[in-house]
Amino acid sequence: EPEVTQTPSHQVTQMGQEVILRCVPISNHLYFYWYRQILGQKVEFLVSFYNNEISEKSEIFDDQFSVERPDGSNFTLKIRSTKLEDSAMYFCASSEAAFNEKLFFGSGTQLSVL
Amino acid sequence: AQSVTQPDIHITVSEGASLELRCNYSYGATPYLFWYVQSPGQGLQLLLKYFSGDTLVQGIKGFEAEFKRSQSSFNLRKPSVHWSDAAEYFCAVGARGGSYIPTFGRGTSLIVHP
């Protein structure tokens, strides 16, 4: 089965540094998502992306966050100036269609902000 | 906005025993409902989903879930658990006619004793 690939699997950074989390969605998928899960808490929706623009975002996704599809295959999440509370597991997902179609998830990037 | 509650953080069962993982949702109409599983080092994988029709839904790996409107529940069941079922299980709800983005619970960790 095709899969969503996320790199790196673990990222450690200093507070205030910029990080870029990378994802390669499934090739024929058109909708892309980022979720995160802070340890012990719910998996939270961050943002969805379609047709090279953000289609929906949560209140978590503030000006410190941005997403990009730089080259037609990668889908990145950038955090400009990381805070301690950004430490979480970040999941990328993609789907063929919108409206509750099956989401395929990557295995996640564990971000630790020190 | 929709929300999901998974009241059990951890569930421990013996191999061969039956399993029921609880999920309650909050939404004003009939939602879309999902169960995902995350094995160690893997991404979230869709087990099953309910959109409409028969309220008892069959999924992969021998799992089933039953939508009970009167109880706002969508509990996941399996008659006989295998050691390989040890994983994190996530319930998710999607809204009809509004944001289709699934909202996840915090997950239930299933531990299987030999």
Side-chain angles (χ1 to χ4, degrees), chain A residues 49-67:
Chain A
F49 191 86
Y50 169 70
N51 199 26
N52 284 320
E53 60 183 25
I54 292 173
S55 51
E56 192 164 343
K57 62 182 180 179
S58 72
E59 61 275 10
I60 301 168
F61 195 86
D62 61 21
D63 292 344
Q64 291 299 310
F65 292 89
S66 62
V67 288

Side-chain angles (χ1 to χ4, degrees), chain A residues 11-103:
Chain A
Q11 174 93 45
V12 181
T13 190
Q14 296 290 326
M15 190 169 58
Q17 295 296 303
E18 175 183 285
V19 294
I20 297 176
L21 308 183
R22 292 183 166 77
C23 170
V24 179
I26 294 171
S27 59
N28 64 332
H29 286 186
L30 301 177
Y31 295 80
F32 314 113
Y33 313 83
W34 282 102
Y35 283 79
R36 78 173 185 189
Q37 186 180 28
I38 296 171
L39 188 64
Q41 299 186 24
K42 295 186 176 188
V43 176
E44 303 171 295
F45 167 72
L46 295 179
V47 66
S48 62
F49 191 86
Y50 169 70
N51 199 26
N52 284 320
E53 60 183 25
I54 292 173
S55 51
E56 192 164 343
K57 62 182 180 179
S58 72
E59 61 275 10
I60 301 168
F61 195 86
D62 61 21
D63 292 344
Q64 291 299 310
F65 292 89
S66 62
V67 288
E68 194 178 28
R69 189 153 163 80
D71 56 13
S73 63
N74 291 283
F75 179 52
T76 61
L77 174 69
K78 182 192 290 185
I79 309 175
R80 288 190 182 81
S81 179
T82 50
K83 307 183 189 71
L84 296 176
E85 54 265 36
D86 293 327
S87 295
M89 178 71 86
Y90 288 80
F91 294 105
C92 174
S94 68
S95 63
E96 279 185 330
F99 203 58
N100 291 294
E101 188 53 65
K102 175 179 175 180
L103 268 63

